Amino acid sequence: MLHLDGETLAYGKTVVLSDVDFHLRPGERVVLLGRSGSGKSTLLNAAYARLVTQMPGNVALVPQENGLVPQLSVFHNTYMGRLDQHSAAYNLLNLIWPLASQRNRVDQVLQDVGLAGMARKPVVSLSGGQKQRTALARAIHRGGHILIGDEPVSAVDERHAAQLIQTLADRFETMLLALHDIALTRQIATRIVGIKNGRLIIDRPAAEVSDDALDALYHR
Ligand SMILES: Nc1ncnc2c1ncn2[C@@H]1O[C@H](COP(=O)(O)OP(=O)(O)OP(=O)(O)O)[C@@H](O)[C@H]1O
């Protein structure tokens, strides 16, 4: 479904990752690990750009900074996950005066991410964890088979992070996530990709990756 073969990922002339061979197959849950600045977001963004071109409507994104509109409500931000799937007139109607069917659908998703009863709250008034849950709600509401998530549960506590990541895994058949939590990675990953010094130095089934190999990713 996604094939990067020997690609260089760079910002202008600044190369972040060289000679990237990366494949994503249906049903995989791939977790990217590496030190801050190693290039996880760079690889995720390249993967998203490719997938969204190939199969628009089938890929949802939780970006690192959430990508919410702070002045709008939780309902509006969640609803916006499917903006491109309706006509402009239908969207306008729902953004001003939401239809009961859309309210109910969004309410169900909000319940799934622990935001029950918060649909009318402006995002600007939420905690960091609640904002992140709103970004997850928007991705779930968008739907599709593939989720790309850049540290999608980093702002919630350990126990809730484990629940939310499972909620995502139940919704999306294929996931490509950057995480910084090894326990969460062990819980969810079918494959682990480790990035160090501009290279993908680990790319193996999760069960075959030792804790020592993961530790080594974080040492200079
Ligand atoms: N828009 C950009 N323009 C130029 N350089 C960038 C840009 N975005 C990221 N970089 C650089 O690319 C490198 C990789 O950044 P990236 O955000 O992919 O790392 P990361 O592993 O996701 O980090 P973190 O865990 O802190 O989010 C870093 O050196 C960063 O400074």
Side-chain angles (χ1 to χ4, degrees), residues 11 14 16 34-43 64 150-151 178:
Y11 298 97
T14 309
V16 177
R35 293 166 61 97
S36 180
S38 59
K40 301 181 295 295
S41 302
T42 302
L43 179 53
Q64 195 166 40
D150 201 343
E151 303 193 8

Side-chain angles (χ1 to χ4, degrees), residues 120-137:
R120 286 167 180 267
K121 286 234 173 206
V123 160
V124 71
S125 71
L126 302 180
S127 70
Q130 289 168 334
K131 286 180 183 147
Q132 196 165 51
R133 288 169 193 262
T134 306
L136 300 187

Side-chain angles (χ1 to χ4, degrees), residues 1 36 40 45 48 64 70 78 81 87 96 115 118 122 127 130 134 177 182 209:
M1 109 198 314
S36 180
K40 301 181 295 295
N45 292 337
Y48 179 70
Q64 195 166 40
T78 304
S87 71
I96 297 168
L115 289 177
M118 303 200 67
S127 70
Q130 289 168 334
T134 306
L177 306 175
I182 300 292
V209 182

Side-chain angles (χ1 to χ4, degrees), residues 63-187:
Q64 195 166 40
E65 306 295 337
N66 292 329
L68 302 171
V69 184
Q71 297 78 8
L72 296 182
S73 71
V74 170
F75 170 85
H76 286 122
N77 274 278
T78 304
Y79 178 85
M80 282 192 285
R82 290 175 73 89
L83 270 189
D84 62 345
Q85 293 169 26
H86 302 295
S87 71
Y90 184 84
N91 284 331
L92 198 58
L93 172 68
N94 272 288
L95 290 169
I96 297 168
W97 199 260
L99 294 172
S101 59
Q102 291 296 337
R103 275 205 315 265
N104 293 341
R105 188 173 170 160
V106 167
D107 281 349
Q108 181 59 56
V109 176
L110 295 182
Q111 193 166 332
D112 293 347
V113 299
L115 289 177
M118 303 200 67
R120 286 167 180 267
K121 286 234 173 206
V123 160
V124 71
S125 71
L126 302 180
S127 70
Q130 289 168 334
K131 286 180 183 147
Q132 196 165 51
R133 288 169 193 262
T134 306
L136 300 187
R138 184 188 51 197
I140 290 172
H141 185 59
R142 174 165 189 75
H145 292 107
I146 311 163
L147 177 74
I148 307 282
D150 201 343
E151 303 193 8
V153 294
S154 57
V156 298
D157 64 67
E158 246 171 64
R159 187 169 62 86
H160 289 115
Q163 283 171 2
L164 285 168
I165 209 97
Q166 191 56 53
T167 300
L168 294 175
D170 293 342
R171 295 304 182 97
F172 294 95
E173 179 193 330
T174 306
M175 300 206 296
L176 173 59
L177 306 175
L179 296 179
H180 62 244
D181 185 307
I182 300 292
L184 212 52
T185 301
R186 290 289 188 203
Q187 176 192 329

